[in-house]
Amino acid sequence: GSCQRDVPSLRPLHLAPRRLAPPRKKNRIDFKDVVIREYSITLGDHPNCSIGPPISLDWEFEEFHPLALDEYESVRGRRRNLRQMLLNYYHRKHLFEHVLGFSKEEIKKAQSREMG
């Protein structure tokens, strides 16, 4: 920093800038805890799913105990990039049929909603 900031203004009083209101306090936001929710997934109805059945979050979720922000940051792992988060057609179809137990008819119906 410059030393000049600490020196009071030597300008005549009539040239000194006027302050109409007292200086504002800086706004500050603090984060204390992180609460993680893990949502179930289900067949979706998103119109921008270009190929295959759309996937959506379901209403059901599991909420984990709060973690201090510093603790969360120390254990969270690396962030995924967009490519790592995408689920291709075959992965989504496998999830719906073999993991979540949707019938082929339900999956087809979801795909036709998304196309039409």
Side-chain angles (χ1 to χ4, degrees):
S2 170
C3 294
Q4 292 179 10
R5 289 184 186 162
D6 298 332
V7 177
S9 174
L10 300 177
R11 290 186 274 172
L13 187 58
H14 67 280
L15 295 178
R18 292 186 192 183
R19 290 207 168 159
L20 301 177
R24 289 185 183 186
K25 290 184 180 179
K26 300 251 184 209
N27 290 335
R28 183 178 158 158
I29 298 174
D30 291 323
F31 295 95
K32 182 179 175 186
D33 294 333
V34 175
V35 178
I36 297 172
R37 287 182 173 180
E38 188 174 284
Y39 284 82
S40 300
I41 55 174
T42 191
L43 271 171
D45 58 0
H46 197 284
N48 276 351
C49 184
S50 57
I51 299 173
I55 193 168
S56 291
L57 296 179
D58 205 350
W59 289 103
E60 297 174 19
F61 63 86
E62 181 180 351
E63 189 168 287
F64 296 91
H65 293 288
L67 285 172
L69 181 60
D70 292 336
E71 182 181 356
Y72 169 76
E73 287 293 334
S74 70
V75 299
R76 74 172 166 83
R78 297 187 70 190
R79 294 182 191 268
R80 294 180 295 166
N81 63 38
L82 182 61
R83 187 173 201 73
Q84 293 168 322
M85 290 189 277
L86 291 176
L87 297 175
N88 68 33
Y89 165 81
Y90 299 104
H91 192 147
R92 282 180 280 136
K93 189 171 183 219
H94 173 79
L95 276 173
F96 289 130
E97 284 181 13
H98 303 288
V99 178
L100 299 172
F102 285 96
S103 70
K104 290 183 181 192
E105 291 76 32
E106 290 172 308
I107 295 169
K108 237 179 225 181
K109 186 176 179 183
Q111 282 181 250
S112 64
R113 275 198 312 254
E114 149 246 319
M115 293 175 168

